[in-house]
Amino acid sequence: MSKKTGSHAKPRQRSKGKKAVLIAIVALLSVLALLLIAGGVYVKVMLGRIGRIDPSQGSYVTSIEPDPLDPEFSGEIIDDPVEINDAVDSVNAIEVQGNTKVISNILLVGVETDEGNRNDVQNYDGRSDSMIILSIDKYHKTIKMVSLLRDSYVAIPGHGYGKLNSAFRYGGFDLLSQTIEQNFRIKIDQFVAVNFKAFTIAVEAMGGVDIVLTDAEIEQFRKNNHEVPVKTNAEGLCHLNAEQTLYYSRIRAIGDDWGRTTRQRTVLKALMQKAKGAGIGTLNNLVYEVLPYISTNMSDGEILGYVANVPAYLSYEVSEKMIPDRSECKEVRVTGVGTCVGMTDPTASVLALHHFIYG
């Protein structure tokens, strides 16, 4: 195995407009719950607006070009990744976990799309840039959100090894769920996906969100020529419009992808909080406008099953986790794949994930 070391420098900022797509799925479910009072016919109309993807009909690819070599990359460059491949496969002996009588796992997927196709509501031909396991525990009355880093180096069934976010581009949710099951030993049957446009529509329909920003985050808006948020109190609370929220959720210069996924979950929680106090008119507008940009493999009956419990879910304690955590991995450059995040002890990381979700 040949290794080379790049020069030491700050990680590059990968601020691409197609990155970090995320929508408040729980907030949307809460909207549907409130709309139940309007009667079954109206709910049926709303459910009919949800997009549906046939996982076998996507315009998938057989290969993905690696990112260009970053001259400032400071980690290992590996030409023959036998050792890291063996580490990835070391989790195969861990028992696969799935839904239980009290725990349900749903995968929230934000799909990046090419700039020219962002207004196409049917376009999900892209990589899964954001992946969050939403775990609902009815026994302990908790909601747990687990961000899976998109650059995680994983085994992709039928495609060798690569980045986790490539699996969706190769084979849609079917392949992504197989990849998560093989590498993280969690079986996920249900997903909700959004494409790029849904994010700004949802935030705009909710009238923006209120988020505490650090001085460093505000400086990123200024440095990248975005409208700079204004602090409204001493703690740094700012009111963000749709475009500001989108930019905030994709900042990578602070904390790399770990910081970025934390900001995504912050937005998700802020939208959930906003939904609790929103009026029926605002919620109606939100659900009507956003549903066409959502795709799921859940049936109407399964969706309504979640909807019936949403008022209770919104009172649940929310906790969050990233996998891998920064302390559990190292950044490597695999020839032919690109810059990846490799877990230093995959077995320990996967068992910690299971403990977080299942206790």
Side-chain angles (χ1 to χ4, degrees), residues 15-35:
S15 56
K16 296 183 182 293
K18 62 185 181 181
K19 300 299 183 185
V21 185
L22 187 61
I23 187 67
I25 303 300
V26 175
L28 292 174
L29 290 177
S30 71
V31 171
L32 287 174
L34 293 174
L35 290 174

Side-chain angles (χ1 to χ4, degrees), residues 52-119:
R52 303 285 182 183
I53 297 177
D54 181 347
S56 65
Q57 298 301 314
S59 299
Y60 304 130
V61 298
T62 56
S63 63
I64 295 176
E65 288 292 323
D67 297 329
L69 180 62
D70 181 0
E72 297 183 347
F73 174 68
S74 59
E76 293 179 320
I77 301 177
I78 302 176
D79 295 324
D80 184 16
V82 174
E83 182 178 336
I84 192 172
N85 290 353
D86 288 344
V88 168
D89 294 337
S90 67
V91 303
N92 292 342
I94 299 175
E95 183 178 356
V96 174
Q97 305 291 328
N99 288 352
T100 70
K101 291 181 179 180
V102 296
I103 295 177
S104 299
N105 297 315
I106 305 169
L107 186 66
L108 312 184
V109 185
V111 181
E112 67 175 66
T113 53
D114 292 334
E115 188 169 356
N117 297 320
R118 288 179 185 166
N119 289 324

Side-chain angles (χ1 to χ4, degrees), residues 163-198:
K163 294 185 180 184
L164 178 60
N165 69 342
S166 298
F168 194 89
R169 189 70 182 97
Y170 285 137
F173 172 72
D174 279 359
L175 184 58
L176 177 57
S177 63
Q178 293 173 36
T179 302
I180 292 172
E181 180 175 339
Q182 179 168 336
N183 293 272
F184 302 104
R185 313 307 287 170
I186 290 186
K187 179 176 175 56
I188 298 178
D189 299 315
Q190 298 174 327
F191 80 94
V192 179
V194 294
N195 55 19
F196 188 88
K197 191 171 183 179

